Amino acid sequence: MTRLIFLGPPGAGKGTQAKLLAEVVNIPHISTGEILRSAVAAQTPLGQKAKAYMDKGELVPDELLLDLVRDRLSQADAQSGWILDGFPRNVSQAAFLDDLMQETHQTCTCVNLDVPDEVLVNRLLGRGRSDDTPEAIRTRLEVYRKETAPLIDFYGERSVLRVVDGDRSMAEVTNSLKQIVSEQQGQ
Ligand code: AMP
């Protein structure tokens, strides 16, 4: 069973790789950022609440996301595995997911896509998303360091962390990820 959390700074290639791998393994790619962007586009109550945070590059408050993630992971297509991209983003979200895994007697592995800072900024500036302004990028990197990077230790302490060098060609990174998936499936 493949249940993966993709961790890594903004611009590390999490979204691209998670989507690709999910297609290969045939499990859902669950991106909280994508869910939020759709909610913003559809102007739902969630989208209206989330937009200002997203535009600034700040994290959307946990209470807007936790039930959403619980519901998404309980859907039928997620029963054969999933790849979570962009969640958890802080220790309280990680603790929530930990509890959820225990409640449902499931386990998951965390993949940290490791990319040096100077590569990240160039990638982000070249992407052209509406929250990819230099200022929002700076905030997102700061938020990553302060809120999200501590999760590397959180999962390391639980011995479920795998580190993948994200500063290589897309195909090379994908191959490393496929390797991790096949090791897990062999377990
Ligand atoms: P992403 O597509 O993962 O880069 O997310 C884009 C934006 O959505 C982030 O900058 C946050 O504002 C928001 N977001 C996505 N996932 C989360 C999360 N797990 N917790 C809080 N905010 C999130």
Side-chain angles (χ1 to χ4, degrees):
M1 178 79 71
T2 305
R3 291 191 202 92
L4 291 181
I5 295 167
F6 268 40
L7 200 68
K14 288 192 302 291
T16 312
Q17 291 291 347
K19 190 165 184 284
L20 222 154
L21 195 67
E23 272 166 24
V24 172
V25 187
N26 199 22
I27 51 177
H29 164 222
I30 302 173
S31 154
T32 43
E34 263 179 25
I35 294 171
L36 289 168
R37 278 188 290 282
S38 306
V40 170
Q43 298 183 347
T44 66
L46 169 66
Q48 284 166 357
K49 288 181 203 141
K51 187 176 185 318
Y53 297 98
M54 295 171 74
D55 284 345
K56 282 189 264 179
E58 291 170 5
L59 293 186
V60 168
D62 287 355
E63 59 265 29
L64 295 181
L65 280 167
L66 300 186
D67 285 344
L68 186 154
V69 168
R70 181 196 295 275
D71 289 349
R72 182 66 191 86
L73 293 183
S74 71
Q75 284 170 21
D77 66 340
Q79 302 320 301
S80 50
W82 38 257
I83 297 178
L84 258 182
D85 160 21
F87 187 97
R89 272 297 223 283
N90 59 26
V91 171
S92 74
Q93 292 180 6
F96 166 85
L97 187 63
D98 227 33
D99 288 348
L100 186 60
M101 292 293 95
Q102 280 182 25
E103 268 170 42
T104 51
H105 309 288
Q106 295 178 348
T107 55
C108 59
T109 300
C110 179
V111 174
N112 181 32
L113 265 188
D114 201 24
V115 176
D117 275 10
E118 59 275 17
V119 178
L120 296 175
V121 177
N122 287 334
R123 284 194 192 173
L124 288 166
L125 285 171
R127 204 162 66 169
R129 218 167 71 183
S130 70
D131 59 348
D132 284 340
T133 61
E135 193 161 323
I137 288 173
R138 200 174 319 121
T139 305
R140 294 217 313 279
L141 285 170
E142 274 168 25
V143 168
Y144 170 77
R145 278 189 208 107
K146 191 159 158 264
E147 305 271 344
T148 313
L151 300 187
I152 298 172
D153 284 344
F154 181 99
Y155 289 109
E157 283 160 13
R158 284 162 178 73
S159 307
V160 292
L161 181 72
R162 301 292 301 262
V163 180
V164 170
D165 176 6
D167 190 18
R168 294 176 295 164
S169 73
M170 242 182 76
E172 284 171 316
V173 176
T174 308
N175 276 337
S176 296
L177 293 168
K178 282 185 187 164
Q179 179 69 35
I180 291 175
V181 167
S182 66
E183 282 169 28
Q184 284 199 319
Q185 287 176 337
Q187 274 172 11

